[in-house]
Amino acid sequence: MRRLTALLVLVAALAGCNSDSGTPSANFYPGGVDAFQKKIKEERGKPIVVNKWASWCPPCRLEFPFFKDQANERKGEVVFIGVNSQDNRGDAEAFLKEEPVPYKHFEDPTQEVAASFNGVQGFPVTAFYDARGRREFVHYG
């Protein structure tokens, strides 16, 4: 599986579509901290759940079905946003194919996005924003 992933990443790089090119994928919002903060502002009027995860993190993998169920159940009422930290797009994309969720994610290889919501202390981390876009609570683990 890793060889196939490596081959796909190589093909994407040769096509100019690797994760460093800035080309957005279907699963990821383009941009970093500024784009994340803009997205939080755009979603005002609804509560927001932000989940920081990584494909290599077993507890993150365990909670994905819960987030999928909640996002589907609360569609239109609550906004869900993923933040894929300290990971690479190839592994993250492969995991999202295994465990698809009905929301998009920000790539966060250096945890700059996570730092913006005080979420660098571990994995996974979930931040809760109120309908005014104010961070109300951060849950670690």
Side-chain angles (χ1 to χ4, degrees), residues 89-132:
R89 185 182 285 180
D91 290 344
E93 291 279 4
F95 174 66
L96 290 171
K97 285 182 182 177
E98 294 171 22
E99 285 290 344
V101 290
Y103 53 88
K104 292 174 78 171
H105 312 267
F106 284 90
E107 284 183 287
D108 190 28
T110 60
Q111 294 205 83
E112 292 175 9
V113 174
S116 75
F117 60 84
N118 198 26
V120 297
Q121 288 77 3
F123 283 86
V125 175
T126 305
F128 300 91
Y129 289 77
D130 66 17
R132 294 171 289 192

Side-chain angles (χ1 to χ4, degrees), residues 9-55:
V9 169
L10 177 61
V11 169
L14 292 173
C17 297
N18 71 358
S19 62
D20 295 329
S21 71
T23 303
S25 78
N27 289 317
F28 289 95
Y29 293 111
V33 176
D34 292 339
F36 173 78
Q37 291 172 343
K38 181 179 177 185
K39 181 68 176 165
I40 296 295
K41 288 179 184 175
E42 287 173 358
E43 297 296 345
R44 283 194 181 144
K46 295 180 183 171
I48 303 167
V49 175
V50 177
N51 177 243
K52 183 188 94 168
W53 63 279
S55 64

